[in-house]
Amino acid sequence: MGSTVARTYLAFHHNAKLYKLSTVVSAIKPFSSLEEANKLLFKTGTDNDFAVVTEKTIFHPQGGGQPSDEGVMTKGDDVVFRVSTVRMDAVNDGQVLHFGRFDSSSAKFQVGETIEQSIDVEKRLLYSRLHTAGHVLGAAVRHLLEKEIPGFDELKASHFPDTAACEFQGSIEGKWKEPIQKKVDEYIDKAMPVEVDFWDEEDFKKNGLERLIPDRSLAPPGEKFRVVKIVGAEVYPCGGTHVDTTDLCGKTTVKKISRSKGNSRVSYAVN
């Protein structure tokens, strides 16, 4: 059944302020019938759980360092599906799996029905603040240290509430903590606009950012890559959700710098 369902349209890529959306159910899969690779995405899954696929979604799946959105999908007042976690399908390219369970075992969606999605807005805003703050931190460290540290590069980042951190190639000494904090404060106080754009390989080259060209497999064939620009600082290929201006991150604290095997990890938190 999976292969006949098209890629899910990621509505949050185009509008991160859509907190409700009407869309059509394209598949409902009992947890027990999922492929092994998809069962592993939902470790607490039981026979009471389902994966629902819809034509469009406002739910950000866990990935790119950002946690999964949570929320509900409903049909009228009678059918309620509580979404506990959302992941990209490990088997069917481009599909989004909404994992969770129905309030009633007798009332479920039917394929082809129009349902209403709504996300937990408070959590989404926190994740968006954390994600933008991670980009601000990455940009601050690059601007300060790119020429100071041999072999410097940005590696990966996690924007989860209790473990948010950016990782860098190269050894960043503890003495840089205060200058990094000052640069982060400066970027946040400036209320820099955060803009979403879609680039192809040529756009990266034109902007002198060949080093950032993502793996071709990360965008559907013929589609451009999504990028997030902090105007006046940096551009990053990114599929996550963000706040509109850097000041909306709120107070962002550089917690600590740790070093291991030639790489460094700078952890941070938002208020």
Side-chain angles (χ1 to χ4, degrees):
M1 170 179 191
S3 58
T4 59
V5 179
R7 299 178 74 92
T8 308
Y9 176 81
L10 306 177
F12 61 85
H13 265 183
H14 305 272
N15 180 356
K17 292 206 186 79
L18 269 182
Y19 302 139
K20 287 191 185 306
L21 178 73
S22 289
T23 184
V24 174
V25 175
S26 39
I28 301 173
K29 309 174 185 189
F31 179 75
S32 56
S33 75
L34 289 174
E35 304 89 343
E36 212 45 51
N38 281 327
K39 281 185 178 164
L40 291 172
L41 297 175
F42 192 44
K43 295 189 173 59
T44 56
T46 70
D47 287 349
N48 299 323
D49 294 296
F50 289 81
V52 174
V53 181
T54 50
E55 286 179 7
K56 302 177 176 179
T57 189
I58 51 173
F59 285 84
H60 182 290
Q62 182 180 319
Q66 183 168 328
S68 156
D69 279 323
E70 296 169 33
V72 293
M73 299 202 255
T74 54
K75 180 161 193 331
D77 297 328
D78 312 331
V79 190
V80 178
F81 180 73
R82 297 193 187 274
V83 179
S84 56
T85 187
V86 185
R87 301 296 286 265
M88 292 307 296
D89 191 307
V91 180
N92 304 291
D93 192 39
Q95 281 180 34
V96 174
L97 297 176
H98 305 82
F99 289 109
R101 56 183 62 175
F102 291 96
D103 274 4
S104 155
S105 55
S106 56
K108 297 187 178 69
F109 304 141
Q110 302 299 316
V111 170
E113 281 184 335
T114 297
I115 55 106
E116 176 95 2
Q117 294 182 335
S118 36
I119 58 169
D120 181 324
V121 177
E122 217 168 285
K123 282 189 173 147
R124 160 66 70 80
L125 288 173
L126 172 62
Y127 300 156
S128 299
R129 287 171 57 217
L130 279 159
H131 205 142
T132 303
H135 285 216
V136 166
L137 174 62
V141 172
R142 176 173 285 282
H143 280 226
L144 281 171
L145 300 181
E146 189 171 22
K147 297 187 172 61
E148 298 278 340
I149 289 177
F152 176 86
D153 203 2
E154 290 175 76
L155 299 173
K156 56 181 199 233
S158 164
H159 313 293
F160 280 68
D162 299 320
T163 55
C166 298
E167 293 185 28
F168 304 90
Q169 194 171 290
S171 185
I172 301 175
E173 300 289 319
K175 67 176 182 187
W176 287 107
K177 186 178 165 202
E178 209 167 297
I180 292 169
Q181 181 69 65
K182 274 175 88 165
K183 197 76 177 157
V184 166
D185 291 346
E186 180 194 318
Y187 283 167
I188 284 181
D189 292 345
K190 272 187 183 163
M192 295 163 139
V194 181
E195 296 176 357
V196 169
D197 205 350
F198 290 85
W199 284 9
D200 58 19
E201 280 90 343
E202 276 312 301
D203 294 313
F204 284 96
K205 288 175 186 159
K206 276 200 307 242
N207 286 279
L209 293 170
E210 286 94 328
R211 66 180 169 83
L212 292 180
I213 296 176
D215 183 332
R216 191 59 254 176
S217 68
L218 293 174
E223 280 191 28
K224 296 183 172 188
F225 298 105
R226 185 174 183 267
V227 296
V228 172
K229 293 192 252 192
I230 297 180
V231 179
E234 290 287 329
V235 180
Y236 292 99
C238 180
T241 64
H242 289 269
V243 290
D244 288 341
T245 50
T246 54
D247 55 309
L248 296 174
C249 295
K251 175 68 183 156
T252 301
T253 306
V254 178
K255 284 169 38 180
K256 74 176 214 191
I257 302 174
S258 48
R259 291 166 294 284
S260 168
K261 298 180 181 141
N263 291 341
S264 304
R265 192 168 181 276
V266 182
S267 60
Y268 72 97
V270 299
N271 273 359

